[in-house]
Amino acid sequence: MIQKFEFKETEIKGLIEVTPFNADDIRGCFTKDYSKEVFEANGIKHDLAEVFYTTSYKGVIRALHFQREKQQPKLVRCIHGHVYDVVVDLRKDSLTFKKWLAFELIGEKHNEILVPAGCAHGYLVLEDSIVSYKCGEKFYGEYDDGIMWNDPDIAVDWKLDRVGGIDKVILADKDKNLQTFKEFMSKYGGF
């Protein structure tokens, strides 16, 4: 079976659900999850600056991360496993400012999302997973930042029952010490 690239706009401007090219046969499958030419033919500009991967255990929450400067648009795909992926619009002039959307990214489904600059991104790992990031800007540690995963003003519904409840959540020290949305707004006022 062959699945061609498909692009679906979401409520958040620039946040696009992508179904990549995928061809299954008796050997397994061949997946092409990025093609500059195909993206541009569909009106999407996404140049690659770097690609990286995370490996995470079930129950991990990678909080709502972003870069304060030199923001990173990113094409995110779970290449193995299953994650509940969350994007929050932090662009102060956006009609969907502070809105969050969630996506089920599943390795076997090959689906991905294109996260625009100015949005925070995070996910809950529903089963041991490997996630690919194809970034349109390099990572700069000095600009690395984020908002608490459980910030009451953003109020993401993380579906914690799917990992056995809050007691099963695994957080890095970095993610335990992130700022609140109010602190982000008082420091930066949005993007």
Side-chain angles (χ1 to χ4, degrees), residues 1-7 16-25 27-34 39 75-83 103-114 130 132 134:
M1 183 178 117
I2 294 178
Q3 169 66 53
K4 295 184 179 179
F5 272 103
E6 292 179 8
F7 301 90
I16 301 169
E17 289 184 81
V18 180
T19 301
F21 175 91
N22 192 74
D24 292 312
D25 64 24
R27 300 167 293 177
C29 73
F30 170 85
T31 303
K32 182 190 304 187
D33 60 8
Y34 174 75
F39 275 52
L75 185 62
V76 180
R77 180 166 81 94
C78 180
I79 59 175
H80 174 78
H82 186 175
V83 300
F103 304 87
E104 301 279 338
L105 299 184
I106 302 168
E108 292 175 355
K109 195 173 169 188
H110 312 288
N111 60 326
E112 58 192 347
I113 55 172
L114 181 61
I130 300 171
S132 163
K134 293 175 176 63

Side-chain angles (χ1 to χ4, degrees), residues 30-89:
F30 170 85
T31 303
K32 182 190 304 187
D33 60 8
Y34 174 75
S35 166
K36 182 176 180 170
E37 181 180 315
V38 172
F39 275 52
E40 287 179 354
N42 284 276
I44 302 166
K45 181 170 173 36
H46 185 71
D47 294 325
L48 291 182
E50 66 182 15
V51 177
F52 60 90
Y53 303 87
T54 58
T55 302
S56 304
Y57 303 113
K58 180 179 179 177
V60 164
I61 289 182
R62 293 192 180 258
L64 301 170
H65 297 155
F66 55 86
Q67 279 188 178
R68 291 184 308 277
E69 296 185 32
K70 299 185 185 253
Q71 295 166 14
Q72 283 185 300
K74 55 190 88 144
L75 185 62
V76 180
R77 180 166 81 94
C78 180
I79 59 175
H80 174 78
H82 186 175
V83 300
Y84 180 76
D85 199 284
V86 174
V87 177
V88 181
D89 191 349

Side-chain angles (χ1 to χ4, degrees), residues 100-188:
W100 63 270
L101 291 177
F103 304 87
E104 301 279 338
L105 299 184
I106 302 168
E108 292 175 355
K109 195 173 169 188
H110 312 288
N111 60 326
E112 58 192 347
I113 55 172
L114 181 61
V115 180
C119 290
H121 172 257
Y123 53 85
L124 169 65
V125 180
L126 300 177
E127 59 185 62
D128 292 0
S129 296
I130 300 171
V131 174
S132 163
Y133 297 76
K134 293 175 176 63
C135 299
E137 178 59 80
K138 292 186 338 184
F139 174 77
Y140 293 91
E142 64 269 32
Y143 302 133
D144 187 32
D145 211 338
I147 294 173
M148 293 171 36
W149 68 277
N150 58 350
D151 180 87
D153 290 314
I154 295 175
V156 171
D157 179 2
W158 284 100
K159 309 291 185 195
L160 297 181
D161 57 314
R162 296 175 70 185
V163 296
I166 196 163
D167 294 338
K168 300 291 186 184
V169 169
I170 302 167
L171 288 170
D173 288 342
K174 168 186 172 179
D175 286 342
K176 290 177 185 174
N177 297 309
L178 291 174
Q179 66 197 327
T180 64
F181 178 76
K182 285 180 182 166
E183 290 169 328
F184 164 75
M185 288 303 292
S186 69
K187 285 186 215 173
Y188 310 111

